[in-house]
Amino acid sequence: MSSALDATDVLVVGAGVAGLACARDLAAAGVSVRVVEASDAVGGRMRSDRIDGFVVDRGFQVFNTAYPQVRRRFDLKELRLRPFTPGFLVHTPNGRLTFCDPTRRPRTLPDLLSGRLAGPRDLAALGLLSARDMLLPPGRLKRRPDTTARTAFADAGISEEFVERLFRPFVAGVFLEDELETSSRVFHLVWRSMLRGTICLPTGGIGSVPRALAAGLPAGALRLETPVAGLTDHGVLTAGGVEIPARAVVVATDPGPAAALLPEVVLPDYRTVTTYYHVAARSPLGEPTLLVDVGRRFLNTCVLSDVVPSYAPPGRALIATSVIGRGGQARERELRAALAEAYGTGTDGWDLLTARTIEDALPVMPPPHPLTRTTRVAPGRYVCGDHRATGSVQGAMASGARAAREVLGDLRR
Ligand SMILES: Cc1cc2nc3c(=O)[nH]c(=O)nc-3n(C[C@H](O)[C@H](O)[C@H](O)COP(=O)(O)OP(=O)(O)OC[C@H]3O[C@@H](n4cnc5c(N)ncnc54)[C@H](O)[C@@H]3O)c2cc1C
């Protein structure tokens, strides 16, 4: 074994948003903290790469300004956010429908009232569900009985037909599953944040979010390219054979390494997603909005360069389309056909820039789903990440914050 590094109060393993949020809170409380990250940059599942002048996020995802952890931690101006238009488009065999909260975009009111999207009963039921989710204090939403999202829509009086046309394709893109089996509690909280906030992308790519968190760490606290191989009685052992002593260790890795480092922790199953990035000579849409498919041949698609022009070099359009599970050539061919229909334009001339498959993208969240769980595993050992809360940026950072509170409480005791 090589020589030990300086001791620290707390060592955080993993520089995703959970680990970074945890480390920021610990440092703010005056505790000495070090973050060790296996890869060459921070961000974990929220990273962006540059390929041939395009910004490519490691799987398409969006940033919601209404998440409580987002509001608490970020200067939104600094992230230079570009918004999607509120609402989304639904591709159906009979044409494209626009779904939007009419209080945000009054121009979409005639679409809503035309009856093409839903009849008056469904619209009234949807209005009531949305008003409740938006206006009730979050504590009330959290205490409501937990069922599946599908049961919640039925309980709200929304017809199966409307669920199939609107919610099923949309929710599939949010939870990466198209059976509506995710916890209703989680759905209501996410729906609330969508109604109250704005869906955006940072100009520099989704990776700007963890980079902004890391920028607030004390100088020298972050060590990249330092995978942790195991926990010891006194801290951790890196894959390079260096022991780093610490009074407390917080494992903030993705689920695979977390299971290896802390075999006693029970982890949920995870969902896999693939995002295809296509390049076209011009935007097939001309609008910064999400498009979902009632046939569910893809989860969602959007022209990223319509949202953030600098995602593509001048004169090119970058289109991101996600599908459940792993990709492959045959799947990409089928996808092109579906996209040609959805965008109403030929896709044969599009180039495939790259595809990103994320095996452990989001935890499965069946009901009853605890929104937060203790991070304590054993004396001096903690675990945090989206698997301890909800599969989202909010959940990951909230879990990191909880780990920091529990560590601080224990150290002070
Ligand atoms: C394609 C996709 C789309 C998504 N869409 C959304 C969305 O629209 N909205 C939303 O809110 N959320 C979305 N999410 C979820 C969100 O990105 C995650 O919940 C969140 O980023 C998880 O953060 P984390 O810190 O828990 O884990 P991670 O980001 O996985 O971070 C774990 C870190 O630990 C490091 N690590 C692993 N092993 C070791 C080791 N042995 N030693 C040291 N370091 C190690 C990893 O390299 C990584 O940096 C999406 C996720 C994906 C993948």
Side-chain angles (χ1 to χ4, degrees):
M1 192 186 298
S2 311
S3 61
L5 287 177
D6 288 351
T8 179
D9 284 333
V10 189
L11 193 124
V12 178
V13 185
V17 287
L20 292 170
C22 176
R24 287 277 302 253
D25 289 359
L26 289 166
V31 164
S32 75
V33 61
R34 179 173 290 160
V35 183
V36 284
E37 163 59 43
S39 65
D40 59 354
V42 300
R45 275 167 276 168
M46 294 184 77
R47 282 186 64 173
S48 309
D49 300 309
R50 277 226 162 239
I51 304 178
D52 298 341
F54 294 89
V55 175
V56 174
D57 294 333
R58 294 196 180 177
F60 169 73
Q61 60 181 295
V62 294
F63 186 72
N64 189 323
T65 57
Y67 280 146
Q69 286 286 325
V70 165
R71 296 166 76 95
R72 177 188 152 196
R73 293 184 186 277
F74 295 96
D75 174 352
L76 296 182
K77 270 208 191 109
E78 234 173 59
L79 287 174
R80 295 187 296 139
L81 298 172
R82 300 290 298 245
F84 285 74
T85 46
F88 52 94
L89 303 173
V90 188
H91 169 70
T92 79
N94 305 319
R96 199 180 279 162
L97 301 173
T98 305
F99 173 75
C100 183
D101 172 356
T103 60
R104 288 196 170 188
R105 279 172 84 199
R107 271 190 307 139
T108 61
L109 191 61
D111 244 35
L112 265 189
L113 298 180
S114 70
R116 285 177 68 221
L117 189 67
R121 269 183 175 214
D122 276 329
L123 283 184
L126 173 65
L128 208 63
L129 177 144
S130 301
R132 216 173 38 197
D133 284 358
M134 196 158 106
L135 301 174
L136 277 182
R140 291 270 302 277
L141 288 182
K142 288 176 187 169
R143 283 195 299 274
R144 282 172 52 196
D146 202 8
T147 62
T148 61
R150 184 181 287 285
T151 308
F153 298 137
D155 290 350
I158 296 174
S159 72
E160 270 186 37
E161 194 196 345
F162 189 36
V163 168
E164 287 299 313
R165 196 174 320 141
L166 180 95
F167 278 113
R168 196 164 171 198
F170 174 69
V171 168
V174 177
F175 299 125
L176 312 183
E177 59 97 356
D178 62 3
E179 295 300 327
L180 297 171
E181 59 193 23
T182 296
S183 146
S184 60
R185 207 183 277 155
V186 175
F187 165 76
H188 286 302
L189 288 168
V190 169
W191 192 243
R192 172 190 176 83
S193 69
M194 287 184 169
L195 293 166
R196 293 173 81 103
T198 304
I199 301 296
C200 307
L201 279 174
T203 301
I206 202 75
S208 310
V209 174
R211 282 201 301 272
L213 276 180
L217 287 175
L222 174 67
R223 236 182 136 91
L224 298 174
E225 298 181 314
T226 310
V228 166
L231 273 55
T232 66
D233 289 343
H234 307 290
V236 303
L237 185 65
T238 69
V242 176
E243 185 168 39
I244 311 178
R247 291 169 68 198
V249 175
V250 180
V251 173
T253 67
D254 35 324
L261 293 171
L262 295 169
E264 61 271 53
V265 172
V266 178
L267 288 147
D269 289 336
Y270 264 71
R271 300 196 189 277
T272 299
V273 67
T274 299
T275 303
Y276 291 93
Y277 291 92
H278 287 104
V279 176
R282 66 188 69 83
S283 168
L285 194 62
E287 191 186 335
T289 196
L290 270 180
L291 173 58
V292 302
D293 179 30
V294 83
R296 289 179 279 112
R297 292 164 297 176
F298 52 83
L299 288 170
N300 48 43
T301 181
C302 83
V303 184
L304 286 168
S305 45
D306 284 348
V307 184
V308 184
S310 54
Y311 263 53
R316 314 292 287 283
L318 181 64
I319 300 124
T321 310
S322 295
V323 297
I324 291 178
R326 295 187 187 89
Q329 275 182 0
R331 197 134 190 224
E332 199 259 338
R333 271 196 303 277
E334 287 165 18
L335 187 61
R336 271 178 199 259
L339 291 174
E341 244 185 61
Y343 283 114
T345 183
T347 54
D348 289 347
W350 290 10
D351 292 324
L352 177 66
L353 179 67
T354 186
R356 292 275 187 260
T357 295
I358 293 89
E359 299 282 344
D360 293 328
L362 276 190
V364 174
M365 296 179 280
H369 183 77
L371 296 171
T372 171
R373 271 181 288 171
T374 180
T375 66
R376 283 191 191 91
V377 178
R381 291 183 178 188
Y382 305 79
V383 65
C384 67
D386 62 353
H387 56 90
R388 300 301 286 180
T390 55
S392 65
V393 177
Q394 160 65 24
M397 290 194 294
S399 170
R402 180 165 180 169
R405 286 196 303 278
E406 292 182 347
V407 169
L408 285 171
D410 293 348
L411 287 181
R412 283 175 185 150
R413 216 167 284 142

